[in-house]
mmCIF file of all heavy atoms in Angstrom:
data_model
loop_
_atom_site.group_PDB
_atom_site.id
_atom_site.type_symbol
_atom_site.label_atom_id
_atom_site.label_comp_id
_atom_site.label_asym_id
_atom_site.label_seq_id
_atom_site.Cartn_x
_atom_site.Cartn_y
_atom_site.Cartn_z
ATOM 1 N N MET A 135 50.220 -129.257 5.188
ATOM 2 C CA MET A 135 49.070 -129.793 5.854
ATOM 3 C C MET A 135 47.859 -128.843 5.823
ATOM 4 O O MET A 135 46.783 -129.135 6.366
ATOM 5 C CB MET A 135 49.391 -130.246 7.298
ATOM 6 C CG MET A 135 50.363 -131.361 7.379
ATOM 7 S SD MET A 135 50.523 -131.964 9.092
ATOM 8 C CE MET A 135 51.394 -130.611 9.836
ATOM 9 N N ILE A 142 46.525 -128.059 14.663
ATOM 10 C CA ILE A 142 47.535 -128.459 15.551
ATOM 11 C C ILE A 142 48.083 -127.330 16.446
ATOM 12 O O ILE A 142 48.160 -127.476 17.650
ATOM 13 C CB ILE A 142 48.709 -129.153 14.763
ATOM 14 C CG1 ILE A 142 48.186 -130.470 14.208
ATOM 15 C CG2 ILE A 142 49.896 -129.348 15.726
ATOM 16 C CD1 ILE A 142 49.252 -131.157 13.319
ATOM 17 N N TRP A 172 46.196 -137.882 16.969
ATOM 18 C CA TRP A 172 47.655 -137.754 16.945
ATOM 19 C C TRP A 172 48.148 -137.536 18.379
ATOM 20 O O TRP A 172 49.218 -137.982 18.723
ATOM 21 C CB TRP A 172 48.087 -136.560 16.038
ATOM 22 C CG TRP A 172 48.001 -136.881 14.582
ATOM 23 C CD1 TRP A 172 48.452 -138.037 13.972
ATOM 24 C CD2 TRP A 172 47.530 -136.011 13.540
ATOM 25 N NE1 TRP A 172 48.209 -137.959 12.617
ATOM 26 C CE2 TRP A 172 47.663 -136.756 12.316
ATOM 27 C CE3 TRP A 172 46.967 -134.750 13.539
ATOM 28 C CZ2 TRP A 172 47.293 -136.222 11.126
ATOM 29 C CZ3 TRP A 172 46.583 -134.191 12.340
ATOM 30 C CH2 TRP A 172 46.732 -134.922 11.106
ATOM 31 N N LYS A 178 48.990 -142.719 13.120
ATOM 32 C CA LYS A 178 50.419 -142.649 12.838
ATOM 33 C C LYS A 178 50.831 -141.160 12.652
ATOM 34 O O LYS A 178 50.035 -140.418 12.054
ATOM 35 C CB LYS A 178 50.756 -143.447 11.642
ATOM 36 C CG LYS A 178 50.709 -145.010 11.818
ATOM 37 C CD LYS A 178 51.087 -145.697 10.584
ATOM 38 C CE LYS A 178 51.132 -147.195 10.817
ATOM 39 N NZ LYS A 178 51.546 -147.968 9.611
ATOM 40 N N ARG A 179 52.082 -140.806 13.042
ATOM 41 C CA ARG A 179 52.552 -139.530 12.844
ATOM 42 C C ARG A 179 53.580 -139.591 11.716
ATOM 43 O O ARG A 179 54.755 -139.865 11.915
ATOM 44 C CB ARG A 179 53.215 -139.005 14.086
ATOM 45 C CG ARG A 179 52.278 -138.470 15.167
ATOM 46 C CD ARG A 179 51.698 -139.555 16.009
ATOM 47 N NE ARG A 179 52.707 -140.251 16.764
ATOM 48 C CZ ARG A 179 52.621 -141.454 17.289
ATOM 49 N NH1 ARG A 179 51.473 -142.157 17.127
ATOM 50 N NH2 ARG A 179 53.586 -142.011 17.917
ATOM 51 N N ASN A 180 53.120 -139.293 10.482
ATOM 52 C CA ASN A 180 53.998 -139.456 9.305
ATOM 53 C C ASN A 180 54.688 -138.088 8.900
ATOM 54 O O ASN A 180 55.466 -138.089 7.997
ATOM 55 C CB ASN A 180 53.138 -139.938 8.069
ATOM 56 C CG ASN A 180 52.598 -141.324 8.368
ATOM 57 O OD1 ASN A 180 53.266 -142.159 8.951
ATOM 58 N ND2 ASN A 180 51.372 -141.529 7.890
ATOM 59 N N LYS A 181 54.314 -137.019 9.550
ATOM 60 C CA LYS A 181 54.949 -135.761 9.288
ATOM 61 C C LYS A 181 55.627 -135.245 10.558
ATOM 62 O O LYS A 181 55.226 -135.530 11.660
ATOM 63 C CB LYS A 181 53.901 -134.757 8.736
ATOM 64 C CG LYS A 181 53.355 -135.078 7.428
ATOM 65 C CD LYS A 181 52.358 -134.004 6.900
ATOM 66 C CE LYS A 181 51.828 -134.288 5.534
ATOM 67 N NZ LYS A 181 52.946 -134.170 4.503
ATOM 68 N N GLN A 182 56.543 -134.346 10.319
ATOM 69 C CA GLN A 182 57.292 -133.745 11.458
ATOM 70 C C GLN A 182 56.368 -133.014 12.387
ATOM 71 O O GLN A 182 56.498 -133.108 13.619
ATOM 72 C CB GLN A 182 58.422 -132.799 10.974
ATOM 73 C CG GLN A 182 59.208 -132.183 12.028
ATOM 74 C CD GLN A 182 60.311 -131.254 11.507
ATOM 75 O OE1 GLN A 182 60.710 -131.397 10.306
ATOM 76 N NE2 GLN A 182 60.821 -130.376 12.317
ATOM 77 N N GLY A 183 55.400 -132.279 11.823
ATOM 78 C CA GLY A 183 54.462 -131.562 12.592
ATOM 79 C C GLY A 183 53.574 -132.385 13.472
ATOM 80 O O GLY A 183 53.334 -132.023 14.678
ATOM 81 N N THR A 184 53.084 -133.528 12.949
ATOM 82 C CA THR A 184 52.231 -134.385 13.734
ATOM 83 C C THR A 184 53.054 -135.111 14.847
ATOM 84 O O THR A 184 52.524 -135.338 15.912
ATOM 85 C CB THR A 184 51.482 -135.407 12.862
ATOM 86 O OG1 THR A 184 52.455 -136.147 12.081
ATOM 87 C CG2 THR A 184 50.543 -134.680 11.912
ATOM 88 N N ALA A 185 54.277 -135.483 14.527
ATOM 89 C CA ALA A 185 55.133 -136.153 15.490
ATOM 90 C C ALA A 185 55.443 -135.172 16.650
ATOM 91 O O ALA A 185 55.410 -135.515 17.818
ATOM 92 C CB ALA A 185 56.408 -136.603 14.857
ATOM 93 N N ALA A 186 55.789 -133.954 16.315
ATOM 94 C CA ALA A 186 56.094 -132.975 17.327
ATOM 95 C C ALA A 186 54.858 -132.665 18.168
ATOM 96 O O ALA A 186 54.997 -132.419 19.405
ATOM 97 C CB ALA A 186 56.554 -131.682 16.675
ATOM 98 N N TYR A 187 53.693 -132.643 17.587
ATOM 99 C CA TYR A 187 52.478 -132.398 18.317
ATOM 100 C C TYR A 187 52.254 -133.506 19.371
ATOM 101 O O TYR A 187 51.911 -133.232 20.523
ATOM 102 C CB TYR A 187 51.274 -132.294 17.363
ATOM 103 C CG TYR A 187 49.970 -132.255 18.007
ATOM 104 C CD1 TYR A 187 49.621 -131.224 18.887
ATOM 105 C CD2 TYR A 187 48.967 -133.194 17.711
ATOM 106 C CE1 TYR A 187 48.341 -131.154 19.492
ATOM 107 C CE2 TYR A 187 47.708 -133.189 18.294
ATOM 108 C CZ TYR A 187 47.409 -132.112 19.188
ATOM 109 O OH TYR A 187 46.151 -132.057 19.782
ATOM 110 N N HIS A 188 52.351 -134.731 18.887
ATOM 111 C CA HIS A 188 52.170 -135.926 19.791
ATOM 112 C C HIS A 188 53.163 -135.779 20.990
ATOM 113 O O HIS A 188 52.791 -136.017 22.170
ATOM 114 C CB HIS A 188 52.405 -137.223 19.037
ATOM 115 C CG HIS A 188 52.538 -138.450 19.903
ATOM 116 N ND1 HIS A 188 51.461 -139.012 20.537
ATOM 117 C CD2 HIS A 188 53.622 -139.040 20.380
ATOM 118 C CE1 HIS A 188 51.841 -140.002 21.255
ATOM 119 N NE2 HIS A 188 53.120 -140.066 21.242
ATOM 120 N N ASP A 189 54.420 -135.515 20.681
ATOM 121 C CA ASP A 189 55.425 -135.415 21.748
ATOM 122 C C ASP A 189 55.122 -134.278 22.755
ATOM 123 O O ASP A 189 55.301 -134.403 23.926
ATOM 124 C CB ASP A 189 56.804 -135.189 21.185
ATOM 125 C CG ASP A 189 57.328 -136.453 20.399
ATOM 126 O OD1 ASP A 189 56.663 -137.513 20.547
ATOM 127 O OD2 ASP A 189 58.281 -136.319 19.613
#
Side-chain angles (χ1 to χ4, degrees):
M135 293 189 290
I142 289 174
W172 284 318
K178 288 182 177 179
R179 282 82 63 201
N180 297 321
K181 292 183 178 292
Q182 182 177 340
T184 55
Y187 172 59
H188 169 77
D189 293 344

